[in-house]
Amino acid sequence: MNADAGICYLDGAYLPLAEARVSVLDRGFIFGDAVYEVLPVVAGRMFALEEHLERLARSLAAIGIAPPLTLAAWRDCLAGLITRNGGGNLSVYLQVTRGVAPRDHAFPSAATPTVFAMCRPLTMTAGISVVNAVTLPDNRWLRCDIKSTSLLANVLLRNEALRCGAYEALLLRDGWLTEGAASNVFVVSDGVVRTPPLSDRLLAGVTRGLLLEVMGRGGRPCREEAIDERTLRGAGEIWITSSSRDLLCVGRLDGVAVGDGANYPVASAVLQDFITYRDQRLGSGT
Ligand code: PDD
């Protein structure tokens, strides 16, 4: 599939992605003055739309953009996008920028937010996939809780991971794990699952939140707790999670095998529970 194939949504209209245009004065282009979401669509049905739209609302509020669409309008807008792209398994990307205005760092007195959404095919998780990761210093800003399109630091970190032959960068700030360049991180030690607590240093991942819910319901010991570098390196399992890849296990961290380097029993059980939970929610239309 070409990168620009398919139909997108831009400011109230559906059109071929290859034909979509925004002004070079759009503040999303000039300043990265924009926020976004990525959510999965399974067999044509959006999963965890409300959680994603709640986080979008928080991101918009944090940067002072009034919500351009209601929840119901987003639902209609994205449903139209999914239908026009043939349904199936998709990853939906949506973005809201502050809009078009003469270049000035200060907020414009009047600008209409640009609303854009597109989608692409999504490969669904069937079982555990294993990837390698490297640790890198977290040199991002201190508002990583905002899902901003200003992702230059994340882009450089992820690219550095790829350059090192790994899939993801696990980020350490002052010796403490924050998250991945494009994912949240969980570690398993002595049967207990841990993930760093929410703060301005990491994104409140929707997958992270749902996994905590699923583990809590299943009675599995799990904690939101600060994780130091030693705990990370001594973990029996390390997972990275995101809406586009669910849960991936880290096989090697900085070239060193994680745990026994071959078995991921906690991840396998939790992923299965998560898939069951997702299927139930999709079946009941939530
Ligand atoms: N990114 N942390 C960061 C920095 C991320 O970019 C992402 C996801 C996550 C996981 O959040 P969620 O579970 O809500 O997807 C955590 C998306 C997928 C992206 O930028 O493409």
Side-chain angles (χ1 to χ4, degrees):
M1 184 178 173
N2 295 335
D4 63 355
I7 301 296
C8 70
Y9 172 93
L10 181 61
D11 292 333
Y14 296 99
L15 71 168
L17 183 57
E19 290 170 19
R21 298 284 178 270
V22 289
S23 164
V24 291
L25 285 179
D26 193 290
R27 290 175 63 98
F29 179 64
I30 294 282
F31 292 119
D33 188 355
V35 293
Y36 77 107
E37 281 295 325
V38 178
L39 67 119
V41 170
V42 184
R45 281 173 294 184
M46 291 177 264
F47 177 60
L49 176 65
E50 276 186 26
E51 284 92 334
H52 284 278
L53 292 182
E54 274 166 23
R55 184 172 62 190
L56 178 70
R58 292 200 300 277
S59 295
L60 287 167
I63 70 165
I65 297 180
L69 299 181
T70 62
L71 203 151
W74 272 119
R75 193 180 283 282
D76 288 349
C77 154
L78 298 179
L81 181 74
I82 291 162
T83 307
R84 285 170 175 80
N85 283 281
N89 298 334
L90 299 168
S91 173
V92 169
Y93 175 93
L94 59 96
Q95 173 174 340
V96 179
T97 85
R98 201 177 303 278
V100 176
R103 184 181 183 277
D104 183 340
H105 289 63
F107 290 179
S109 49
T112 307
T114 301
V115 178
F116 171 67
M118 62 179 170
C119 51
R120 66 176 179 199
L122 178 69
T123 309
M124 294 309 296
T125 306
I128 291 293
S129 297
V130 182
V131 296
N132 294 330
V134 291
T135 53
L136 288 173
D138 192 343
N139 55 11
R140 302 173 302 160
W141 70 336
L142 291 175
R143 289 309 307 272
C144 299
D145 54 318
I146 302 172
K147 198 160 171 65
S148 162
T149 63
S150 302
L151 287 170
L152 186 54
N154 304 61
V155 165
L156 296 178
L157 289 161
R158 177 90 204 286
N159 204 59
E160 180 60 13
L162 295 185
R163 207 186 59 78
C164 297
Y167 172 82
E168 178 62 306
L170 307 194
L171 308 179
L172 293 165
R173 197 186 283 273
D174 305 324
W176 298 92
L177 175 67
T178 54
E179 60 180 339
S183 57
N184 290 113
V185 184
F186 289 75
V187 304
V188 187
S189 316
D190 304 324
V192 180
V193 183
R194 292 185 177 80
T195 192
L198 295 182
S199 74
D200 53 11
R201 281 148 207 242
L202 62 135
L203 185 74
V206 170
T207 319
R208 174 192 177 282
L210 296 176
L211 283 169
L212 286 171
E213 190 182 326
V214 166
M215 287 188 280
R217 283 186 189 188
R220 183 173 292 280
C222 61
R223 294 187 203 143
E224 296 178 78
E225 202 171 85
I227 297 166
D228 63 13
E229 186 171 348
R230 218 173 115 241
T231 307
L232 175 68
R233 295 199 188 283
E237 294 180 26
I238 301 175
W239 316 337
I240 57 178
T241 67
S242 73
S243 297
S244 40
R245 300 298 307 268
D246 293 338
L247 183 163
L248 300 174
C249 285
V250 176
R252 299 181 87 80
L253 181 64
D254 293 330
V256 179
V258 177
D260 68 8
N263 295 294
Y264 309 95
V266 182
S268 306
V270 170
L271 181 60
Q272 210 42 61
D273 289 350
F274 176 71
I275 292 170
T276 305
Y277 166 85
R278 181 168 60 200
D279 288 347
Q280 276 166 359
R281 270 186 67 169
L282 287 168
S284 65
T286 61

